[in-house]
């Protein structure tokens, strides 16, 4: 049941109606039931996975929280009786117990994710190695269903568990409330990966019907559907034509595919997040923002602070910082300083931690070497940029370009092209095809396809291109307008006839110009496969 299906719209309408008719104290229970119905429709066999993650994380966090409370109570009661050594020993003993619970729970749940998502990738690589050494032994692939949203709800649950272990949030004692946090259905398809401390407050509160909040939520949903159905699903037609026949569509076609995919991914992913945030907002629930105008970034580092923010924050807080401060990394840091000097020794541990994060980011996106290389390519560019930072600073000072409008435009354009190039690893099926296709941009001088009408033969008409151009310009205008405040607030300040024309006009555009797929359901959101 995709966000763009008629069934989902009917599901949301019915849920919305019941949500505001029932007593307010039962609203969160209704959302729990709705979330499990949504997940059941996606695949009844998937329920065992999300239930396993929910129950194991709930009990592990509860045990960790109880142990921490027990430690605090004991130390408070015996603070006058025990020595510093006894206090330290007691705390260390309690910490070991908590550590066993968190390690066991993380290994189990990340293990489940790894098995269902990466088993066949592992088998494929083992078979490749065996074949390279001349062995005829080949392992058979396994038929494993990939549960919807498993990467998202697993990371969200593990983030909560780590926060409880750190004492950042208290352990949730109500298993049904925690089940709602893990399974809240608008987030299951493609996130964002919410923190318990951010989402829980509004998720469990009682919500009165507020016309402004509801209207704002519906408007956000409408904007998301425009991005998805008018732009993303339309440009996808041309993109699939180019990617689907890499032998024919080479050279300048690959460059077009880079631009198409960047537009398609942005409109699809941000559109889906807009719908998620909008659905939650109609019910008074606050879901974190996941994008801040990423394609206006002036560097790749800035881009990753603005793109898929919840994922970046998760990898930073739960992988980068713990790895950097771990005992093995501290030993490596000491070894590096002793053998390579303070400057290099200070950098190597940070770069090693960043390498781990970007490898994990790549493999999280998909069980493919394409995604791993994509992640590591981002790592290489970011590390090179970090090393060249003093050179950039001298250049900026020498030519006084900082803050100049045209130089900002250059930085944004440069970063956008770099992002487009890196994203091409998401598109083609193998690394070999990817590298050959990218190389053909330099070897096949067929740039005439940009103006000789060849692009009319990839499934898009002149009307489609016109809609895409106008739609992209609208995305840019809205993004620029957001810098000075909420666009919805600005529209709300306009007279009613203006507001009516804007929102009803957007609805008609989606209705008349949306690119509909089989059975009038638009294609699924791209991040659903991640």
């Amino acid at each position: 049941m995709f966000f763009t299906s008629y069934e989902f719209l009917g599901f949301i309408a019915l849920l919305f109606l019941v949500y505001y008719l029932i007593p307010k104290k039962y609203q969160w229970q209704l959302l729990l039931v709705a979330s499990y119905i949504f997940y059941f429709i996606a695949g009844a066999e998937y329920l065992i996975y999300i239930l396993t993650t929910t129950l194991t994380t709930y009990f592990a966090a509860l045990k960790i929280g109880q142990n921490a409370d027990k430690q605090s109570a004991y130390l408070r009661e015996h603070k006058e009786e025990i020595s510093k050594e006894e206090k330290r020993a007691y705390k260390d003993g309690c910490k070991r117990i908590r550590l066993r619970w968190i390690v066991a729970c993380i290994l189990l749940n990340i293990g489940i994710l790894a098995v269902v998502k990466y088993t066949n990738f592992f088998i494929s690589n083992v078979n490749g190695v065996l074949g390279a050494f001349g062995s005829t032994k080949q392992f058979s692939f396994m038929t494993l269903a990939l549960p919807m949203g498993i990467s998202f709800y697993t990371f969200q649950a593990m983030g909560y568990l780590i926060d409880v272990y750190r004492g950042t949030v208290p352990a949730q004692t109500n298993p049904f409330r925690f089940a709602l946090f893990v399974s809240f259905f608008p987030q299951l398809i493609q996130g964002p990966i919410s923190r318990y401390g951010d989402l829980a407050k509004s998720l469990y509160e009682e919500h009165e019907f507020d016309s402004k909040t509801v209207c704002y939520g519906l408007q956000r949903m409408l904007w998301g559907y425009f991005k998805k159905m008018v732009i993303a699903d339309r440009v996808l037609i041309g993109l699939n034509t180019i990617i689907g026949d890499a032998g024919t569509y080479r050279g300048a076609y690959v460059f077009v595919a880079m631009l198409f995919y960047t537009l398609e991914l942005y409109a699809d992913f941000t559109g889906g997040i807009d719908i998620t945030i909008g659905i939650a907002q109609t019910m008074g629930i606050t879901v974190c923002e996941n994008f801040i105008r990423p394609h206006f970034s002036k560097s790749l580092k800035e881009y990753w602070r603005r793109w898929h923010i919840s994922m970046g924050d998760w990898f930073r807080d739960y992988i980068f910082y713990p790895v950097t401060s771990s005992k093995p990394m501290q030993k490596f840091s000491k070894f590096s300083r002793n053998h390579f000097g303070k400057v290099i020794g200070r950098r190597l541990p940070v770069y090693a931690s960043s390498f781990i994060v970007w490898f994990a980011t790549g493999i999280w996106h998909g069980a493919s070497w394409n995604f791993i290389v994509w992640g590591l390519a981002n790592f290489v560019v970011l590390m090179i940029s970090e090393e060249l930072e003093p050179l950039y600073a001298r250049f900026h000072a020498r030519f006084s370009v900082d803050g100049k409008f045209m130089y900002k435009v250059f930085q944004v354009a440069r970063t956008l092209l770099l992002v487009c190039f890196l994203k091409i690893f998401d598109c083609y099926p193998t690394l070999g095809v990817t590298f050959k296709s990218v190389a053909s941009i330099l070897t096949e001088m067929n740039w005439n396809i940009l103006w000789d009408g060849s692009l009319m033969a990839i499934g898009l008409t002149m009307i489609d291109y016109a809609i895409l151009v106008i739609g992209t310009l609208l995305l840019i205008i809205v993004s620029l307008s957001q810098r000075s405040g909420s666009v919805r607030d600005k529209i709300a300040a306009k007279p009613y006839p203006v507001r009516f024309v804007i929102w009803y006009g957007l609805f008609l555009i989606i209705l008349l110009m949306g690119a509909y797929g089989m059975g009038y359901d638009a294609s699924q959101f791209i991040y659903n496969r991640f």
Side-chain angles (χ1 to χ4, degrees):
M1 187 162 58
F2 302 133
F3 279 4
T4 49
S5 67
Y6 293 140
E7 291 85 354
F8 181 78
L9 294 177
F11 174 78
I12 286 296
L14 179 61
L15 173 62
F16 179 80
L17 182 64
V18 176
Y19 184 81
Y20 282 112
L21 287 178
I22 62 173
K24 304 297 179 287
K25 64 180 180 179
Y26 297 123
Q27 287 177 329
W28 72 264
Q29 290 99 322
L30 174 65
L31 289 179
L32 176 60
V33 172
S35 295
Y36 271 85
I37 290 174
F38 178 82
Y39 209 77
F40 177 83
I41 293 173
E45 68 276 17
Y46 300 155
L47 286 173
I48 187 64
Y49 293 99
I50 195 169
L51 282 171
T52 298
T53 295
T54 300
L55 292 174
T56 56
T57 307
Y58 168 76
F59 283 112
L62 200 61
K63 290 295 183 181
I64 290 170
Q66 289 171 348
N67 180 270
D69 292 341
K70 178 183 176 182
Q71 173 186 306
S72 298
Y74 178 86
L75 294 177
R76 188 168 53 250
E77 292 172 8
H78 300 84
K79 63 180 179 179
E80 304 295 337
E81 306 169 17
I82 59 175
S83 65
K84 289 184 178 179
E85 291 74 17
E86 290 173 327
K87 180 179 179 181
R88 185 182 303 111
Y90 182 78
K91 290 173 71 174
D92 288 343
C94 290
K95 185 177 181 180
R96 282 194 295 272
I97 293 173
R98 295 195 295 272
L99 190 60
R100 290 192 199 107
W101 278 106
I102 190 172
V103 169
C105 189
I106 288 177
L107 287 178
L108 172 64
N109 286 283
I110 297 298
I112 292 172
L113 173 62
V115 168
V116 299
K117 194 169 182 179
Y118 305 110
T119 295
N120 286 333
F121 175 63
F122 176 76
I123 292 173
S124 174
N125 283 281
V126 170
N127 288 341
V129 171
L130 292 174
F133 283 95
S135 174
T136 57
K137 173 71 174 178
Q138 294 285 286
F139 293 95
S140 301
F141 291 106
M142 300 180 66
T143 304
L144 294 170
L146 184 62
M148 180 183 70
I150 186 171
S151 295
F152 292 101
Y153 71 67
T154 299
F155 273 36
Q156 185 157 304
M158 294 305 97
Y160 158 80
L161 182 68
I162 296 170
D163 285 344
V164 171
Y165 176 79
R166 291 174 174 173
T168 306
V169 299
Q172 172 56 253
T173 57
N174 187 321
F176 298 104
R177 284 178 180 260
F178 179 67
L180 174 58
F181 168 73
V182 175
S183 65
F184 185 47
F185 73 92
Q187 296 186 148
L188 281 177
I189 291 182
Q190 56 180 1
I193 305 169
S194 293
R195 303 291 181 91
Y196 181 81
D198 296 330
L199 180 61
K201 181 180 178 181
S202 61
L203 189 61
Y204 307 133
E205 281 181 342
E206 298 179 6
H207 299 285
E208 296 286 344
F209 180 88
D210 179 77
S211 59
K212 180 180 179 181
T213 299
V214 171
C215 285
Y216 270 33
L218 292 174
Q219 291 163 6
R220 186 72 180 262
M221 289 175 63
L222 201 60
W223 181 236
Y225 280 114
F226 169 78
K227 289 180 180 178
K228 167 65 175 170
M229 301 182 73
V230 177
I231 298 177
D233 288 346
R234 175 169 272 101
V235 75
L236 182 63
I237 297 169
L239 176 66
N240 283 341
T241 300
I242 297 173
I243 299 300
D245 190 356
T248 300
Y249 296 102
R250 297 167 55 79
Y253 283 107
V254 181
F255 179 76
V256 171
M258 290 181 183
L259 300 180
F260 275 11
Y261 182 67
T262 300
L263 175 61
E264 192 268 338
L265 181 62
Y266 174 80
D268 185 283
F269 194 12
T270 64
I273 295 297
D274 286 333
I275 295 171
T276 293
I277 293 174
I279 291 170
Q281 189 172 16
T282 61
M283 294 180 284
I285 298 166
T286 302
V287 173
C288 64
E289 294 289 345
N290 215 25
F291 302 92
I292 305 176
R293 300 178 295 281
H295 292 308
F296 286 94
S297 303
K298 296 185 285 294
S299 68
L300 188 62
K301 182 178 181 179
E302 182 184 354
Y303 171 82
W304 279 109
R305 289 199 301 265
R306 293 166 168 245
W307 174 271
H308 206 345
I309 298 168
S310 63
M311 182 200 71
D313 288 350
W314 198 97
F315 280 108
R316 180 196 65 205
D317 294 343
Y318 301 126
I319 295 183
F320 179 79
Y321 288 152
V323 169
T324 304
S325 60
S326 65
K327 288 184 179 179
M329 194 58 71
Q330 289 176 356
K331 290 180 180 179
F332 177 60
S333 177
K334 184 177 180 181
F335 173 85
S336 301
R337 289 196 302 272
N338 291 337
H339 289 78
F340 306 113
K342 290 184 178 180
V343 176
I344 296 178
R346 193 166 52 245
R347 285 178 166 83
L348 283 180
V350 176
Y351 290 172
S353 300
S354 296
F355 176 89
I356 293 171
V357 166
W358 281 106
F359 180 88
T361 302
I363 199 72
W364 178 84
H365 276 80
S368 164
W369 282 106
N370 280 49
F371 288 110
I372 294 173
V373 171
W374 166 80
L376 296 182
N378 275 277
F379 162 75
V380 170
V381 173
L382 287 167
M383 292 307 100
I384 292 175
S385 299
E386 191 73 21
E387 289 299 323
L388 293 178
E389 194 64 40
L391 183 62
Y392 295 153
R394 288 198 296 270
F395 173 82
H396 294 162
R398 171 68 178 81
F399 295 98
S400 302
V401 294
D402 264 347
K404 300 293 180 63
F405 174 75
M406 289 309 299
Y407 188 68
K408 287 183 180 179
V409 171
F410 162 76
Q411 289 177 303
V412 170
R414 175 198 61 191
T415 303
L416 179 59
L417 287 175
L418 177 60
V419 168
C420 290
F421 170 75
L422 292 173
K423 286 184 186 297
I424 203 66
F425 286 99
D426 293 5
C427 296
Y428 291 98
T430 66
L431 282 177
V433 175
T434 302
F435 285 126
K436 287 179 182 178
S437 298
V438 171
S440 72
I441 297 176
L442 302 176
T443 59
E444 299 197 17
M445 298 293 104
N446 59 343
W447 294 99
N448 56 293
I449 64 108
L450 299 178
W451 58 80
D452 68 2
S454 298
L455 293 180
M456 295 297 166
I458 61 171
L460 298 174
T461 66
M462 183 61 75
I463 294 176
D464 289 322
Y465 283 112
I467 292 173
L468 288 174
V469 169
I470 295 171
T472 302
L473 289 174
L474 184 57
L475 291 180
I476 294 172
I477 291 170
V478 170
S479 294
L480 291 173
S481 179
Q482 285 174 337
R483 295 187 302 178
S484 59
S486 168
V487 174
R488 285 174 294 176
D489 283 343
K490 294 175 183 178
I491 294 176
K494 303 292 183 183
Y496 176 77
V498 176
R499 301 199 306 270
F500 177 84
V501 168
I502 290 173
W503 295 119
Y504 187 65
L506 190 61
F507 172 76
L508 286 179
I509 289 172
I510 297 169
L511 194 65
L512 299 175
M513 299 182 183
Y516 300 94
M518 293 297 293
Y520 298 101
D521 285 346
S523 61
Q524 70 172 348
F525 287 89
I526 193 168
Y527 254 71
N528 189 33
R529 64 186 172 98
F530 298 152

